[in-house]
Amino acid sequence: MTGRDNELWQQSWRDRNTAFHQKTVNPHLVRFWSSLGLQAADRVFVPLCGKSLDLLWLAGQGHSVIGVELSPLAVRAFFRENRLQASRRQVGKLTLWENGRIGILCGDFFQLTAADLGDIAAVFDRASLTALPDDIRAAYLAHLARIVPAACKVLLLTTEEPEGWETAGQPFAVADEIAGLYAATFDIQLSHVESVFEADPDPAIAELVRVEQKVYLLTPKSQD
């Protein structure tokens, strides 16, 4: 992200403005994770992880889990709130906090290298695209492709605003942005769609808005 975007993210943690943090394990992760067909020993990458409890769940399935998070406040909170004693050491340009099968690299995602992550079998991406500004998303995916093996599968969870002409009863489709970002390198399977009503992100708008929570399974296209 840009320096300005990084500072805004850091400030949200300093201000405890973290309504995006889920206080339970994501139910879509629990329901759809097995669709990736991984082995328990496979290593999983969780970008922009915050203090997500999903890291604990993934480790509970036997996986070695490595996340990346910009804010040291978020990383410290994850280990403190889950009563885990973490060791710390420098890995590349980031600081690795680690306990057992769970590690979080604290620093800028764009400074990560493949060597920092190790041999990754799959990526669990919950709402990274939502957290990133529109003009950064393509760069984020380009860097992700550089640091994980080409064979990595991705379980992608998104929260999308419906198009103006869509109604809750209409068939759902892969979002144009998702197709534009991923279709060149992945086969995209839309596994689940759930329409929910949430508070508008603008606090001046005191009404609920409909959003679509979608689950995508991304499988790398064969490298012929």
Side-chain angles (χ1 to χ4, degrees), residues 28 158-162 166-172 192-198 209-214:
H28 298 319
T158 65
T159 299
E160 303 170 12
E161 294 182 4
E166 290 180 329
T167 67
Q170 289 177 312
F172 294 101
H192 178 74
V193 180
E194 184 175 332
S195 288
V196 299
F197 287 86
E198 297 182 345
V209 294
R210 176 182 150 225
V211 296
E212 294 167 358
Q213 295 180 351
K214 294 185 179 181

Side-chain angles (χ1 to χ4, degrees), residues 47-121:
L48 283 59
C49 64
K51 58 175 184 176
S52 174
L53 297 178
D54 298 338
L55 300 172
L56 293 174
W57 187 87
L58 288 165
Q61 309 312 299
H63 299 301
S64 171
V65 185
I66 184 74
V68 64
E69 169 54 43
L70 180 65
S71 170
L73 294 179
V75 179
R76 185 177 294 109
F78 171 82
F79 288 100
R80 184 183 66 247
E81 292 172 10
N82 293 297
R83 299 181 180 180
L84 299 174
Q85 184 68 39
S87 63
R88 280 182 278 180
R89 59 187 172 92
Q90 196 71 19
V91 173
K93 295 183 178 181
L94 291 84
T95 301
L96 176 64
W97 297 54
E98 194 170 30
N99 178 288
R101 286 196 290 266
I102 299 175
I104 302 178
L105 286 158
C106 185
D108 191 334
F109 168 82
F110 288 100
Q111 294 183 328
L112 269 178
T113 68
D116 297 337
L117 288 180
D119 187 17
I120 301 297

Side-chain angles (χ1 to χ4, degrees), residues 5-194:
D5 294 321
N6 282 351
E7 177 55 30
L8 289 172
W9 183 253
Q10 299 269 29
Q11 191 63 47
S12 70
W13 283 97
R14 287 194 290 268
D15 294 342
R16 299 184 180 181
N17 183 20
T18 57
F20 50 82
H21 171 68
Q22 293 187 334
K23 296 181 179 179
T24 60
V25 175
N26 189 285
H28 298 319
L29 168 64
V30 176
R31 178 178 174 185
F32 292 99
W33 184 247
S34 62
S35 64
L36 273 66
L38 301 179
Q39 301 297 313
D42 286 339
R43 186 167 171 84
V44 177
F45 177 41
V46 184
L48 283 59
C49 64
K51 58 175 184 176
S52 174
L53 297 178
D54 298 338
L55 300 172
L56 293 174
W57 187 87
L58 288 165
Q61 309 312 299
H63 299 301
S64 171
V65 185
I66 184 74
V68 64
E69 169 54 43
L70 180 65
S71 170
L73 294 179
V75 179
R76 185 177 294 109
F78 171 82
F79 288 100
R80 184 183 66 247
E81 292 172 10
N82 293 297
R83 299 181 180 180
L84 299 174
Q85 184 68 39
S87 63
R88 280 182 278 180
R89 59 187 172 92
Q90 196 71 19
V91 173
K93 295 183 178 181
L94 291 84
T95 301
L96 176 64
W97 297 54
E98 194 170 30
N99 178 288
R101 286 196 290 266
I102 299 175
I104 302 178
L105 286 158
C106 185
D108 191 334
F109 168 82
F110 288 100
Q111 294 183 328
L112 269 178
T113 68
D116 297 337
L117 288 180
D119 187 17
I120 301 297
V123 176
F124 173 57
D125 190 331
R126 185 190 76 81
S128 288
L129 294 182
T130 304
L132 292 169
D134 293 354
D135 59 341
I136 300 295
R137 293 172 184 175
Y140 160 77
L141 292 177
H143 188 66
L144 183 65
R146 286 191 289 269
I147 62 177
V148 300
C152 263
K153 295 179 180 179
V154 180
L155 186 66
L156 174 67
L157 309 188
T158 65
T159 299
E160 303 170 12
E161 294 182 4
E163 299 293 339
W165 48 266
E166 290 180 329
T167 67
Q170 289 177 312
F172 294 101
V174 173
D176 290 342
E177 181 183 24
I178 299 299
L181 290 170
Y182 291 97
T185 52
F186 289 94
D187 292 321
I188 303 173
Q189 176 185 329
L190 178 57
S191 299
H192 178 74
V193 180
E194 184 175 332

